[in-house]
Amino acid sequence: MKVAVTGGSGLAGSAVVSHLLDAGYHVLSIDRAQPQKPLAEFRLVDCADLGQVYGACYGVDAIVHLAAIPRPIHHTSDQVFRTNIMATFNIFEAAVTLEIPRVVYVSSMSVLGLPFSYKPIQLVYLPIDEAHPQAPQDAYALSKTLGEDIAQAFVRRMAGALSVVSLRFPWIHTPETFKSVLRPLSDNPAGGATNLWGYIDTRDVAQACQLALEAEISGHEAFYISAGNTFMKTDSAALAGAFYPEARIKSRLSGNQSLFDTAKAKARLGYEPQFSWEDYEWS
């Protein structure tokens, strides 16, 4: 099976490429930036250009679409929105034209409206599952929400010939980036509140993408995927009560349990988080 991984040079993308290679896939890495350490066949492609996407994806059996501007901080809002939306549209347009039957779309927990919202987000309940209302405000969150709408539209258009799995990830990290970025927040609960103190190891991102490629899924399905815990030592119930008092606690929270409910991913994809910051070893 030949899989194209867009954004294959990035933090998460390179982990996905490596994991799929180890799992025996033929991987084509697609990015507009050269990889630091080439692992697989690579093509320099701007996914916002449909012709380039057609040329790169011809002959592949599935696409894992990660390519995007990952946060609305270093780019203007219109750049974030235009780049992410056009890349996503082009991937699906190419998939249906080239008769590629499975796309894994890397979405985000930002469909909730977090963490870049202009106004506070009012959560209905915790832990978050796929039924929770979406409330995007910023360009990034809107691009991810509409990205799932684009996926649904193309599935509707193809009437059984295309299936899409959307994976809603929280903050993606390696042990090294966790140490430098998230570990300092462990003494500052307010600093991670808009992320619901959620994270995921890139290796769990990679295994989730493989599971999504292989799952018996028809149509379009979305899943929250996260680590099993928060990046805090504080009990999650205490954090929820302090920062989201309006949110109903729909199931008992144990210790620093994640505030993302991954039960659907476990049931439908077989996803179980394998990596926790509590097991990291740092020099």
Side-chain angles (χ1 to χ4, degrees):
M1 186 176 187
K2 186 173 184 178
V3 179
V5 178
T6 74
S9 300
L11 183 76
S14 58
V16 173
V17 169
S18 178
H19 179 88
L20 292 180
L21 286 171
D22 289 344
Y25 285 84
H26 179 186
V27 180
L28 169 66
S29 178
I30 293 172
D31 207 305
R32 61 182 184 182
Q34 295 277 355
Q36 291 185 343
K37 295 180 180 179
L39 300 173
E41 181 184 354
F42 173 78
R43 291 184 188 169
L44 196 65
V45 173
D46 182 352
C47 289
D49 184 308
L50 180 58
Q52 293 183 42
V53 175
Y54 277 141
C57 291
Y58 181 80
V60 306
D61 303 299
I63 301 172
V64 179
H65 178 46
L66 295 101
I69 295 175
R71 58 189 62 84
I73 296 174
H74 303 300
H75 299 80
T76 62
S77 294
D78 64 301
Q79 286 178 304
V80 172
F81 184 80
R82 181 174 59 251
T83 300
N84 291 1
I85 287 294
M86 287 312 305
T88 300
F89 177 86
N90 289 344
I91 287 298
F92 283 105
E93 182 71 16
V96 300
T97 303
L98 300 174
E99 299 182 344
I100 300 167
R102 173 61 58 92
V103 176
V104 177
Y105 171 57
V106 173
S107 185
S108 171
M109 55 78 72
S110 290
V111 298
L112 295 168
L114 301 169
F116 305 112
S117 62
Y118 296 98
K119 303 292 184 182
I121 297 295
Q122 299 295 307
L123 299 180
V124 179
Y125 58 80
L126 290 167
I128 296 293
D129 62 17
E130 291 76 12
H132 193 283
Q134 300 174 15
Q137 298 176 15
D138 65 278
Y140 178 76
L142 187 58
S143 75
K144 288 300 182 180
T145 305
L146 294 178
E148 293 189 17
D149 289 341
I150 291 171
Q152 183 62 50
F154 276 91
V155 165
R156 190 181 301 122
R157 167 177 158 182
M158 295 308 293
L162 172 70
S163 60
V164 181
V165 180
S166 291
L167 303 177
R168 298 172 179 173
F169 293 116
W171 212 343
I172 299 173
H173 282 275
T174 65
E176 293 73 27
T177 64
F178 188 99
K179 179 181 181 181
S180 62
V181 178
L182 294 189
R183 203 176 185 188
L185 293 178
S186 62
D187 296 323
N188 176 26
T194 56
N195 284 282
L196 294 179
W197 308 278
Y199 77 102
I200 187 168
D201 189 290
T202 54
R203 293 165 292 183
D204 277 333
V205 170
Q207 68 124 335
C209 288
Q210 181 186 354
L211 291 169
L213 284 170
E214 298 172 352
E216 294 293 330
I217 297 286
S218 60
H220 172 234
E221 293 284 350
F223 299 89
Y224 280 103
I225 307 284
S226 78
N229 55 5
T230 70
F231 58 75
M232 302 294 292
K233 296 179 180 178
T234 308
D235 284 353
S236 296
L239 291 172
F243 291 90
Y244 294 98
E246 78 284 358
R248 172 176 56 87
I249 304 301
K250 69 179 179 68
S251 60
R252 182 177 178 273
L253 295 170
S254 176
N256 66 342
Q257 171 187 332
S258 173
L259 291 175
F260 294 99
D261 183 347
T262 59
K264 180 183 177 184
K266 179 178 181 179
R268 298 292 304 279
L269 302 180
Y271 172 76
E272 290 277 7
Q274 302 297 311
F275 299 94
S276 165
W277 68 267
E278 293 173 305
D279 299 322
Y280 289 166
E281 294 182 5
W282 292 297
S283 56

